[in-house]
């Protein structure tokens, strides 16, 4: 595979100990220009102690495109608090120049019907339009998730008649038992807005895997993320791939470790 390096993105989760400026510098040193910011970092804020204007200026200084803010949760259980948080995150996305906001479904074992999810999408869509931000719906493959299937997510987006896209995550694809049976015939490649990549080497049963096991790509990756990417490329996907490891071990990585892991993962994908 030969994937244009401009299609690779780095999620800030890989560098929990770095300031936003240090993170941007690291990504620039790698010859990359896309990042994802988050609202679940140690500071509890998307921009840490920086103003929106400062983050936007730093992004311009280092040539970074802020692809998303992660994430609005749980998007499919709408109440006044959810709507207020959605508006706040969308305001932030607009202010820092982020292209999209990720929407994650309820993940606590409580089921939410397709009808309620459609209603939630319809209720949120005008807010996204108001702020000029794209919506990316990310199914979570955990057994307790209320929306596990990317194919179902696309169907619900179509039913809602909203301009959102689906976010495919190779970890969550692996966790959902029916994903392989559904994917090739059911997925609309044109409506994939982003792909998250990570790797897992832990040998425990799939249903027991958690975010803690998510590292970067390797030859021993049980998710087969490289194969997942190869299939997406063959199917015509030409969007962005964002590296999103989650393990608490990442807090022990220094900048050299982070750079090495990213380079190795890209090499595996380009082989």
């Amino acid at each position: 595979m030969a994937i244009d390096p401009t299609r690779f993105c780095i999620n800030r989760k890989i560098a929990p100990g770095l300031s936003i400026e240090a993170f941007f510098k690291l990504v620039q040193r790698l010859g990359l220009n896309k990042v994802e910011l988050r609202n679940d970092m140690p500071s509890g804020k998307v921009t840490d102690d920086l103003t929106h204007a400062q983050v936007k200026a730093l992004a311009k200084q280092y040539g970074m495109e802020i692809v998303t803010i992660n994430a609005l949760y749980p998007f499919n259980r709408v109440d006044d608090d959810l709507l207020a948080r959605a508006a706040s995150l969308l305001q932030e996305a607009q202010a820092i120049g982020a292209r999209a906001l990720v929407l994650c479904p309820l993940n606590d074992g409580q089921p939410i019907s397709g009808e309620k999810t459609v209603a939630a999408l319809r209720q949120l869509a005008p807010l996204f339009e108001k702020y000029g931000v794209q919506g990316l719906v990310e199914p979570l493959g955990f057994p307790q998730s209320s929306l596990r299937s990317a194919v179902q997510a696309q169907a619900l987006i179509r039913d809602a008649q909203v301009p959102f896209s689906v976010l495919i995550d190779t970890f969550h694809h692996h966790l959902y038992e029916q994903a392989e049976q559904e994917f090739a015939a059911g997925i609309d490649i044109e409506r994939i807005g982003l792909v998250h990549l990570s790797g897992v080497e832990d040998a425990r049963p799939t249903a027991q895997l958690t975010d803690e096991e998510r590292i970067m790509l390797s030859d021993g990756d049980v998710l087969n993320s490289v194969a997942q990417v190869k299939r997406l490329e063959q199917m015509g996907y030409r969007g962005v791939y964002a590296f999103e490891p989650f393990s608490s071990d990442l807090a022990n990585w220094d900048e050299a470790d982070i750079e090495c892991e990213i380079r190795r993962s890209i090499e595996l994908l380009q082989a």
Side-chain angles (χ1 to χ4, degrees), residues 189-262:
I189 289 291
E190 298 300 320
R191 298 305 301 166
I192 298 175
L194 183 66
V195 176
H196 277 165
L197 305 178
S198 57
V200 171
E201 294 181 335
D202 195 292
R204 74 187 69 188
T206 300
Q208 295 178 20
L209 293 175
T210 69
D211 281 329
E212 180 60 28
E213 285 72 62
R214 296 174 65 178
I215 51 175
M216 292 291 278
L217 308 190
S218 72
D219 290 327
D221 173 26
V222 301
L223 308 181
N224 294 312
S225 288
V226 172
Q228 289 194 49
V229 169
K230 184 175 182 179
R231 176 172 58 187
L232 286 164
E233 290 293 297
Q234 290 173 340
M235 293 176 72
Y237 179 70
R238 295 296 180 265
V240 173
Y241 293 104
F243 293 105
E244 189 198 39
F246 256 85
S247 173
S248 61
D249 289 345
L250 304 176
N252 300 319
W253 291 1
D254 60 22
E255 292 190 39
D257 294 328
I258 296 168
E259 290 188 45
C260 180
E261 289 288 341
I262 292 171

Side-chain angles (χ1 to χ4, degrees), residues 72-192:
L72 178 65
Y73 172 86
F75 84 87
N76 55 349
R77 189 174 66 187
V78 177
D79 55 19
D80 290 343
D81 174 69
L82 187 281
L83 291 173
R85 288 188 290 112
S88 177
L89 283 168
L90 288 165
Q91 288 170 0
E92 286 204 86
Q94 183 187 63
I96 66 176
R99 191 173 73 197
L101 175 62
V102 177
L103 301 94
C104 292
L106 186 66
N107 185 45
D108 69 357
Q110 298 181 61
I112 293 184
S113 68
E115 291 78 9
K116 287 186 177 179
T117 299
V118 166
L121 291 168
R122 287 175 176 163
Q123 197 165 355
L124 288 166
L127 273 176
F128 280 76
E129 183 178 7
K130 175 181 177 181
Y131 292 102
V133 176
Q134 297 174 17
L136 298 178
V137 177
E138 180 176 17
L140 302 179
F142 299 118
Q144 69 272 17
S145 171
S146 61
L147 179 58
R148 305 181 69 199
S149 164
V151 171
Q152 182 190 12
Q154 286 190 334
L156 295 174
I157 291 167
R158 286 194 297 271
D159 289 347
Q161 297 183 308
V162 297
F164 294 168
S165 296
V166 72
L167 191 162
I168 302 290
D169 186 299
T170 58
F171 172 74
H172 290 295
H173 177 93
H174 179 76
L175 263 55
Y176 173 51
E177 300 86 354
Q178 302 302 316
E180 282 299 304
Q181 292 93 312
E182 295 178 0
F183 197 82
I187 203 73
D188 180 356
I189 289 291
E190 298 300 320
R191 298 305 301 166
I192 298 175

